[in-house]
Amino acid sequence: MLILSLPYAVTDQLVDAIGVYVLVFGILVSVAAFWLRRVVPPVLLRPARHTWTTR
């Protein structure tokens, strides 16, 4: 049986810090996406042109 465990250097504080970093980064990316959606003219946000055909 394989038992996986974290090294002793990984403390609860480190795990919390990484979690906060990921949360803040995710919020910043979301805000940037909404901001770009409002700033970029709709002409530049064209839908993809599908070129395949069905048989």
Side-chain angles (χ1 to χ4, degrees), residues 1-52:
M1 179 162 94
L2 179 65
I3 298 175
L4 298 176
S5 63
L6 296 173
Y8 291 110
V10 179
T11 62
D12 289 339
Q13 292 174 343
L14 180 60
V15 171
D16 290 342
I18 292 171
V20 169
Y21 172 78
V22 169
L23 180 65
V24 170
F25 184 75
I27 291 170
L28 288 176
V29 168
S30 298
V31 168
F34 285 120
W35 181 77
L36 282 174
R37 188 78 173 151
R38 299 181 113 205
V39 172
V40 175
V43 175
L44 298 177
L45 296 175
R46 284 182 247 144
R49 291 183 183 160
H50 301 291
T51 58
W52 65 80

